[in-house]
C-alpha cells in the first residue's frame, strides 16, 4: 500500500524544491551554479557535492534558506535514504515559511512533511500536518485539498481502521474527478486514477475483497479518462493499465471470479510493463494466490536477477517480499531442501539488515546532531558579531552603548527561545518515534532462547523483556541483574551491549531519558527531582547532566518549551 506513496513523495519532493526555487530564488543569474535546477541535477550524480554547494550557498546568501533546506531534505531522502534527517530540514523549511508568513510556501512544505512522515510511519504526525494543510489552503486550491484528504484517509486507515479512512478517500476521489473532467490533462487524470486505486488497495489490504470489488468500476472509469487525454503518453497508459489489472486480478480471484481474474492476467501479460522487473513484482501475489507456482518462480527469477544487477539485495523489501514469496512457492511445491536453504539465507540476510540499519540510524543521528551543533555555532557567531558592534559603539557615546546592549540582549534571547522551541519540538518528535518503536517491540512475540542462542538473539530477548517490564526504571537494576535474566556471565552481557547498543549503562540511561521526556510533558505537577527518581536515576544532578548531554537542553528548559505545554 505504501510503495506507490513512496514514489509519489519522491516526485512531490522534487516538484516542491523546483516550485520553491521559482518563487524564492529569482535574484540569481540563469547560468549560476546556485540554482534549484542545477543543484537538483547535481544531487542525482553526486549528492555529497550537491550538499557542499548548498553549504556554500548558505554561507554566501546566494539562495533563500527555504530553497536550501528544501533541497537538503530532498537529497537526504531521495539520494542518501536518510528520512529522519530529511524530516529535520523539512521542518526547518516549514518554520522559515511560517516566519515569512508565506502561506503558499507553508502549504508546499506541509505536503512534503505529510509524505515524509507517512513513509517513516509517523502516522499521527502526518495526520497532524495534513489537517494543518487543510486549514491553510485557499478555497480554490482543489488539488491541495484532494492531496491532504487522500493522506488523511491513508493515515486513518493505518492507525484506526479502513472504515475511518473511507470518507476521506471518497472526498479526495470526488475532487480529483472534477479536476480531471475540467482540465482534460493526463496529470490530473492520473491523480484521479491513483486515488481510486489507493482506496481499492486499502480495502484489499484489510482483506475486504468484496468492498474492493465494488471500487473496481470506478478505477476502470478513471483509467478510461486517462486514455482519453491527448497528452497521455503510451508508456504512462501501459504502466497504469498494468497496475490496474494487477489489482483487479487478485480481487477477482479472492471473490471467486476466476474467469475474470484469468482474463485480467492475460491482458496484463500483453502490456509492455509486465515484461519489466517492476511489472513482474505486480503479478506475483496473484500467481501465488492462484497456485501458479512455476510461473511465480519464473517471475521471481527475473526480479532477483534485476536486484542482483541493479539494486541492494540486503534490504527489507528484497527479503520480506522477493525471497519470502519464493519460499512460499517452494513450500507449496514440496521442495523442502531448497526451502530450507532459502530459509537459512533469509535468516542470514535479516541479521545483516538489522546490523546495517543500526549503523544507518547512528549515521542519521550523527548528522542530526551536527546540524544542531552548526545552528548553535551560527548563534554564537551572531552573538560575537553583535558584541563587536557594541564595542565600537562604546567609543562613541554611553547612551548608544546601553541601547545597543539592550538590542543585542533582546535579539539573543529571541534566538535562544526559538532554538529551544525547535529543540523541544525535535525531542518531542524523537520521543514519539521512540514510543512507536517501544510499542512495536512489546507487541512482538517473546522469542525463545536456549544455550545455543547467539548474541543477537540474546540481545533481542533481553531488550524486549527490559522494555516490556520497564526494568530500566529500577534504580538498582545493574548488569548482574540483566545477566541473570538470560543466564550469561556479566562479561559476556557487557560485550553484547557494546555490540548492539551504546553499552549497558548507556542503553539503560537512554531508556530512562526517553521515559523522562514523557513525564516532563504529562506530569506538570512533578518536580525535576521527582521525575529523576521516577525514571530510576539516583539523583537529580545525574539526571540533569545526562539529559543535557543527550538533548542539548536541560529538563527544565524542555519542560518550559515542550509543544505539549504550548
Amino acid at each position: 500500500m505504501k510503495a506507490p506513496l513512496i514514489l509519489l513523495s519522491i516526485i512531490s519532493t522534487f516538484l516542491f524544491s523546483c516550485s520553491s526555487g521559482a518563487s524564492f530564488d529569482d535574484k540569481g543569474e540563469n547560468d549560476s551554479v546556485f540554482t534549484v535546477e542545477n543543484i537538483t541535477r547535481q544531487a542525482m550524480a553526486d549528492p555529497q557535492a550537491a550538499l557542499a554547494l548548498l553549504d556554500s550557498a548558505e554561507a554566501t546568501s546566494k539562495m533563500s534558506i527555504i530553497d536550501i533546506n528544501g533541497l537538503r531534505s530532498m537529497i537526504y531522502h531521495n539520494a542518501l535514504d536518510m528520512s529522519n534527517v530529511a524530516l529535520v530540514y523539512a521542518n526547518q523549511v516549514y518554520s522559515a515559511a511560517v516566519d515569512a508568513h508565506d502561506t503558499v510556501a507553508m502549504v508546499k512544505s506541509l505536503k512534503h512533511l505529510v509524505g515524509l512522515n507517512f513513509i517513516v510511519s509517523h502516522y499521527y504526525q502526518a495526520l497532524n500536518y495534513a489537517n494543518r494543510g487543510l486549514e491553510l489552503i485557499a478555497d480554490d486550491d482543489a488539488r491541495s485539498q484532494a492531496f491532504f484528504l487522500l493522506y488523511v484517509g491513508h493515515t486513518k486507515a493505518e492507525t484506526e481502521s479502513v472504515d475511518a479512512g473511507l470518507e476521506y478517500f471518497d472526498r479526495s476521489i470526488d475532487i480529483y474527478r472534477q479536476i480531471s473532467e475540467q482540465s482534460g490533462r493526463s496529470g490530473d487524470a492520473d491523480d484521479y486514477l491513483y486515488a481510486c486505486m489507493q482506496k481499492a488497495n486499502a480495502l484489499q489490504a484489510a482483506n475486504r475483497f468484496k468492498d474492493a470489488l465494488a471500487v473496481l468500476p470506478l478505477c476502470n472509469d478513471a483509467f478510461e479518462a486517462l486514455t482519453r487525454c491527448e497528452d497521455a503518453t503510451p508508456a504512462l497508459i501501459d504502466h497504469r493499465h498494468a497496475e490496474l489489472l494487477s489489482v483487479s486480478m487478485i480481487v477477482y480471484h479472492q471473490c471467486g471470479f476466476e474467469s475474470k481474474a484469468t482474463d485480467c492476467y492475460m491482458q496484463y501479460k500483453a502490456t509492455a510493463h509486465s515484461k519489466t522487473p517492476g511489472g513482474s513484482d505486480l503479478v506475483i501475489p496473484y500467481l501465488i494466490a492462484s497456485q501458479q507456482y512455476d510461473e511465480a518462480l519464473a517471475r521471481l527469477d527475473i526480479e532477483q536477477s534485476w536486484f542482483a544487477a541493479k539494486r541492494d539485495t540486503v534490504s527489507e523489501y528484497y527479503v520480506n517480499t522477493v525471497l519470502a514469496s519464493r519460499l512460499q512457492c517452494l513450500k507449496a511445491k514440496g521442495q523442502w531442501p531448497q526451502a530450507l536453504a532459502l530459509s537459512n539465507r533469509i535468516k542470514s540476510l535479516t541479521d545483516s539488515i538489522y546490523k546495517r540499519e543500526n549503523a544507518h540510524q547512528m549515521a542519521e543521528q550523527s548528522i542530526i546532531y551536527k546540524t544542531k551543533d552548526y545552528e548553535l555555532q551560527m548563534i554564537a557567531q551572531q552573538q560575537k558579531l553583535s558584541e563587536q558592534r557594541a564595542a565600537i559603539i562604546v567609543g562613541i557615546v554611553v547612551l548608544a552603548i546601553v541601547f545597543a546592549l539592550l538590542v543585542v540582549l533582546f535579539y539573543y534571547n529571541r534566538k535562544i527561545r526559538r532554538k529551544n522551541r525547535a529543540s523541544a519540538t525535535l525531542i518531542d518528535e524523537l520521543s514519539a518515534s521512540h514510543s512507536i518503536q517501544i510499542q512495536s517491540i512489546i507487541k512482538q512475540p517473546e522469542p525463545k532462547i536456549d544455550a545455543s542462542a547467539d548474541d543477537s538473539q540474546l540481545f533481542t530477548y533481553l531488550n524486549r523483556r527490559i522494555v516490556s517490564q520497564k526494568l530500566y526504571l529500577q534504580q538498582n537494576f545493574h548488569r548482574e541483574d540483566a545477566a541473570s535474566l538470560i543466564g550469561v556471565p556479566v562479561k559476556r552481557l557487557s560485550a553484547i551491549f557494546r555490540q548492539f547498543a551504546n553499552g549497558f549503562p548507556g542503553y539503560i540511561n537512554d531508556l530512562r531519558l526517553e521515559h523522562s521526556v514523557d513525564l516532563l510533558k504529562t506530569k506538570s505537577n512533578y518536580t525535576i527531582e521527582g521525575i529523576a527518581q521516577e525514571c530510576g536515576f539516583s539523583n537529580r544532578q545525574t539526571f540533569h547532566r545526562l539529559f543535557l548531554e543527550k538533548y542539548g537542553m536541560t529538563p527544565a528548559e524542555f519542560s518550559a518549551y515542550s509543544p505539549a505545554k504550548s
Side-chain angles (χ1 to χ4, degrees):
M1 179 176 175
K2 288 174 64 174
L5 282 166
I6 295 175
L7 177 60
L8 178 66
S9 177
I10 292 173
I11 295 172
S12 67
T13 303
F14 174 79
L15 293 178
F16 162 78
S17 299
C18 288
S19 61
S20 174
S23 300
F24 293 98
D25 190 33
D26 51 8
K27 295 181 180 179
E29 298 179 3
N30 292 333
D31 60 346
S32 171
V33 295
F34 297 112
T35 63
V36 170
E37 294 78 8
N38 179 68
I39 295 178
T40 300
R41 288 192 297 269
Q42 179 78 17
M44 297 176 183
D46 190 344
Q48 295 296 342
L51 289 173
L53 270 179
L54 291 172
D55 290 340
S56 298
E58 182 176 10
T60 56
S61 300
K62 291 292 182 64
M63 298 174 67
S64 75
I65 195 63
I66 289 180
D67 283 340
I68 290 171
N69 285 334
L71 286 165
R72 282 170 173 159
S73 182
M74 178 198 72
I75 293 168
Y76 277 111
H77 174 56
N78 294 349
L80 300 177
D81 192 26
M82 292 186 176
S83 297
N84 288 317
V85 180
L87 271 172
V88 171
Y89 285 114
N91 276 295
Q92 291 180 8
V93 172
Y94 177 67
S95 297
V98 171
D99 291 341
H101 303 289
D102 191 323
T103 304
V104 174
M106 281 190 277
V107 171
K108 291 176 182 177
S109 60
L110 283 172
K111 286 182 179 180
H112 185 40
L113 283 168
V114 168
L116 274 177
N117 277 281
F118 191 89
I119 288 170
V120 299
S121 301
H122 294 173
Y123 299 123
Y124 288 107
Q125 193 65 25
L127 180 61
N128 177 46
Y129 284 128
N131 286 328
R132 199 177 303 176
L134 289 170
E135 293 172 357
L136 277 176
I137 58 175
D139 294 336
D140 60 348
D141 190 357
R143 287 182 177 84
S144 294
Q145 184 182 13
F147 176 90
F148 287 125
L149 285 172
L150 183 63
Y151 267 97
V152 171
H154 278 305
T155 53
K156 285 186 173 290
E158 290 286 349
T159 58
E160 300 176 30
S161 66
V162 175
D163 287 328
L166 289 180
E167 173 193 351
Y168 299 94
F169 279 123
D170 290 337
R171 289 170 62 188
S172 176
I173 289 170
D174 187 55
I175 295 172
Y176 276 131
R177 177 184 57 77
Q178 294 179 42
I179 295 173
S180 175
E181 290 175 352
Q182 292 172 4
S183 74
R185 293 184 302 192
S186 61
D188 294 327
D190 197 33
D191 288 340
Y192 173 38
L193 173 60
Y194 174 80
C196 295
M197 290 179 62
Q198 286 309 297
K199 179 181 178 181
N201 281 336
L203 290 165
Q204 179 182 327
N207 294 325
R208 291 173 53 173
F209 297 105
K210 290 184 178 179
D211 292 331
L213 180 66
V215 181
L216 290 185
L218 185 65
C219 296
N220 288 322
D221 289 343
F223 176 71
E224 290 301 321
L226 176 63
T227 62
R228 291 193 295 270
C229 295
E230 294 182 358
D231 62 334
T233 63
L236 174 64
I237 293 174
D238 180 86
H239 192 160
R240 294 295 181 260
H241 193 206
E243 291 177 339
L244 178 57
L245 290 169
S246 70
V247 174
S248 301
M249 68 180 74
I250 193 71
V251 171
Y252 282 135
H253 172 77
Q254 294 294 345
C255 291
F257 300 108
E258 290 299 336
S259 61
K260 289 186 176 181
T262 302
D263 181 58
C264 287
Y265 177 51
M266 299 306 295
Q267 291 184 57
Y268 166 82
K269 290 203 297 184
T271 65
H273 187 65
S274 68
K275 300 171 178 61
T276 67
S280 295
D281 177 53
L282 290 175
V283 77
I284 288 171
Y286 166 72
L287 294 173
I288 294 176
S290 58
Q291 300 182 7
Q292 300 182 55
Y293 301 118
D294 290 331
E295 179 65 19
L297 287 170
R299 292 277 181 175
L300 286 167
D301 287 339
I302 296 173
E303 194 168 6
Q304 283 188 254
S305 298
W306 180 70
F307 262 92
K310 300 292 185 181
R311 298 185 66 181
D312 187 2
T313 57
V314 186
S315 67
E316 287 189 15
Y317 178 84
Y318 181 73
V319 172
N320 296 335
T321 302
V322 179
L323 296 187
S325 296
R326 176 173 287 278
L327 181 61
Q328 187 177 353
C329 291
L330 293 174
K331 288 181 177 179
K333 289 170 61 66
Q335 297 179 4
W336 300 110
Q338 296 93 321
L340 179 60
L342 182 57
S343 180
N344 291 332
R345 184 185 175 194
I346 289 173
K347 181 180 180 302
S348 175
L349 285 174
T350 300
D351 290 340
S352 297
I353 291 169
Y354 176 78
K355 293 177 181 178
R356 192 172 69 175
E357 282 184 349
N358 280 345
H360 188 73
Q361 290 172 4
M362 290 297 293
E364 276 193 307
Q365 292 304 314
S366 175
I367 294 173
I368 291 172
Y369 287 127
K370 285 181 180 178
T371 302
K372 291 175 62 179
D373 183 60
Y374 175 74
E375 292 174 357
L376 291 173
Q377 290 178 12
M378 291 298 293
I379 292 173
Q381 289 176 4
Q382 291 171 357
Q383 181 184 2
K384 184 178 180 180
L385 179 61
S386 298
E387 291 172 352
Q388 289 174 347
R389 289 174 178 172
I392 295 173
I393 297 174
V394 168
I396 303 174
V397 63
V398 174
L399 290 177
I401 295 175
V402 174
F403 176 77
L405 288 175
L406 289 174
V407 170
V408 171
L409 182 61
F410 173 78
Y411 182 76
Y412 176 74
N413 286 338
R414 187 175 65 175
K415 284 288 184 180
I416 291 297
R417 288 196 298 271
R418 187 176 299 170
K419 186 270 294 182
N420 284 340
R421 282 195 296 269
S423 297
T425 299
L426 178 58
I427 293 171
D428 188 59
E429 291 174 356
L430 292 174
S431 175
S433 174
H434 177 77
S435 297
I436 294 173
Q437 294 174 1
I438 290 293
Q439 291 301 318
S440 174
I441 292 172
I442 293 174
K443 290 179 181 178
Q444 291 176 359
E446 183 172 347
K448 296 181 179 179
I449 60 171
D450 53 32
S452 63
D454 60 21
D455 289 351
S456 175
Q457 293 171 325
L458 291 175
F459 176 79
T460 300
Y461 171 84
L462 195 53
N463 182 40
R464 184 187 183 282
R465 188 161 179 185
I466 290 174
V467 168
S468 61
Q469 298 180 8
K470 296 186 176 180
L471 300 178
Y472 54 88
L473 297 181
Q474 301 174 10
Q475 288 188 11
N476 58 351
F477 187 70
H478 302 299
R479 290 185 182 89
E480 293 78 4
D481 304 301
S484 66
L485 295 177
I486 53 176
V488 300
V490 173
K491 185 175 181 180
R492 185 182 178 188
L493 178 91
S494 297
I496 290 173
F497 275 87
R498 282 195 301 272
Q499 181 181 1
F500 297 102
N502 186 25
F504 184 80
Y507 165 81
I508 293 297
N509 285 333
D510 279 345
L511 291 175
R512 289 171 175 171
L513 289 171
E514 292 290 351
H515 187 69
S516 73
V517 170
D518 291 334
L519 293 183
L520 287 167
K521 291 189 297 182
T522 59
K523 304 294 184 181
S524 57
N525 58 326
Y526 276 35
T527 64
I528 299 299
E529 184 173 1
I531 288 178
Q533 293 178 353
E534 184 83 7
C535 295
F537 292 103
S538 58
N539 55 67
R540 173 177 176 169
Q541 290 75 17
T542 300
F543 171 51
H544 185 282
R545 175 177 57 80
L546 292 174
F547 195 99
L548 180 61
E549 289 176 356
K550 181 175 177 66
Y551 296 117
M553 63 192 312
T554 67
E557 287 174 339
F558 173 74
S559 180
Y561 289 96
S562 172
K565 298 183 178 181
S566 61

